[in-house]
Amino acid sequence: MKFVAVVFGVLLAGSSLASDWLLSLNGERTQGSLLRGQVAPGVSVALAGKPVRTTEEGYFAIGFGRDAALAQTLELKKGEERQQVPVILDKREYNIQRVEGVPQRTVDPPPEAVLKRIRAEVAAIKKARASDSDLQAFLSDFQWPLTGRISGVYGSQRVYNGKPGTPHYGVDVARPTGTVVVAPADAVVTLVQDDNYYSGGTLIMDHGYGVSSTMIHLSEVLVKPGQTVKQGEPVAKVGATGRATGPHLDWRLNWYAERLDPVTIVPPMEE
């Protein structure tokens, strides 16, 4: 894992921790970011009072949502000793996008007969994103699942057919239907849904310790639940299914229920 060898040699800036606590963090300290870090073995970690699971070597992940408070605190414990380390996030500005031509049925409140279907789809997605496996692919260097024109960005507020929707929680890459999508990192497939009401063809892959990737609006999924995939392996094809006005990949990143910006963990795109 190149990420581990390169990143974790430096103590967290501004920390007064003794070296035997070995706290380091890597990542953009902004709203919407995924941070990956390490503490010395035997040190426990908590974020906002909630325990954060660590590997035997002390590696862990934490994530901050779109509107996360800018002042965060990591709480470390070793035996009876405790330390609190501030983590200050940068505030992000989000743009407003107006999208016309979306099928009106996906904008208006759905009929009661459809709500049961939607609730079942959402419940399955939440269950998949709650996965807490021991996979350590979350520590690796992620890659873009495909390259192309960025047609939608994380955190933007979309107005569908004149009606405000919820913020966009992924990054959209516009490519023709059928373009192959690859795994951004090693993973285990936790969910495949062929035709969700909103997201169309949907794929969720678990990278371990609460970190997962979701791919939506797919025309075809090439893998099955429970399958292990390697970084760069074909997993799906671009589509325009669900609430979409044209073919594109919507890639989403989660730390458990926290919706994060995939752009914070990949290098600049090279087309």
Side-chain angles (χ1 to χ4, degrees):
M1 297 179 183
K2 178 181 177 184
F3 170 88
V4 175
V6 172
V7 171
F8 289 130
V10 181
L11 190 67
L12 181 64
S15 170
S16 61
L17 294 177
S19 60
D20 58 351
W21 290 70
L22 185 66
L23 174 64
S24 58
L25 287 175
N26 177 73
E28 298 182 29
R29 295 182 196 176
T30 68
Q31 294 171 317
S33 65
L34 174 70
L35 300 183
R36 294 169 287 184
Q38 184 187 20
V39 289
V43 175
S44 63
V45 181
L47 176 64
K50 297 181 180 179
V52 175
R53 205 158 69 91
T54 64
T55 71
E56 290 184 2
E57 299 82 9
Y59 299 118
F60 63 92
I62 53 176
F64 303 99
R66 177 184 187 270
D67 301 307
L70 301 184
Q72 301 283 341
T73 302
L74 274 181
E75 302 158 2
L76 309 182
K77 181 180 179 182
K78 183 176 65 173
E80 297 302 316
E81 296 181 83
R82 297 175 183 269
Q83 293 274 3
Q84 290 193 333
V85 180
V87 179
I88 306 302
L89 306 178
D90 290 334
K91 183 175 178 58
R92 292 179 59 171
E93 300 295 331
Y94 304 107
N95 68 337
I96 303 297
Q97 296 179 332
R98 298 186 179 276
V99 182
E100 302 297 332
V102 172
Q104 194 61 37
R105 70 175 182 84
T106 65
V107 178
D108 294 333
E112 185 62 33
V114 178
L115 286 176
K116 183 177 180 180
R117 168 190 170 184
I118 294 173
R119 293 188 188 108
E121 292 168 349
V122 170
I125 289 172
K126 288 183 177 179
K127 182 178 179 180
R129 287 175 173 167
S131 178
D132 195 18
S133 75
D134 293 331
L135 297 172
Q136 294 190 27
F138 75 96
L139 291 171
S140 63
D141 295 326
F142 279 57
Q143 70 174 66
W144 284 93
L146 83 166
T147 59
R149 180 177 62 87
I150 300 296
S151 58
V153 296
Y154 171 89
S156 58
Q157 183 78 32
R158 290 185 166 184
V159 180
Y160 292 103
N161 297 352
K163 183 175 182 179
T166 56
H168 184 48
Y169 289 109
V171 56
D172 293 343
V173 182
R175 290 295 298 272
T177 295
T179 303
V180 171
V181 176
V182 303
D186 292 356
V188 170
V189 177
T190 53
L191 182 71
V192 173
Q193 295 174 322
D194 294 327
D195 186 27
N196 270 9
Y197 187 81
Y198 287 118
S199 59
T202 301
L203 166 65
I204 298 181
M205 294 176 287
D206 171 29
H207 305 296
Y209 285 75
V211 179
S212 65
S213 285
T214 302
M215 314 288 185
I216 66 176
H217 305 309
L218 304 168
S219 62
E220 183 179 359
V221 178
L222 305 176
V223 292
K224 298 179 180 180
Q227 183 175 337
T228 298
V229 297
K230 293 295 184 181
Q231 184 179 58
E233 180 180 343
V235 293
K237 294 182 179 180
V238 170
T241 57
R243 183 160 69 177
T245 57
H248 70 281
L249 171 69
D250 184 341
W251 175 28
R252 304 191 174 198
L253 181 73
N254 272 66
W255 180 60
Y256 302 109
E258 291 290 350
R259 300 175 178 184
L260 313 177
D261 186 355
V263 173
T264 64
I265 62 166
V266 288
M269 184 185 293
E270 296 182 4
E271 297 191 34

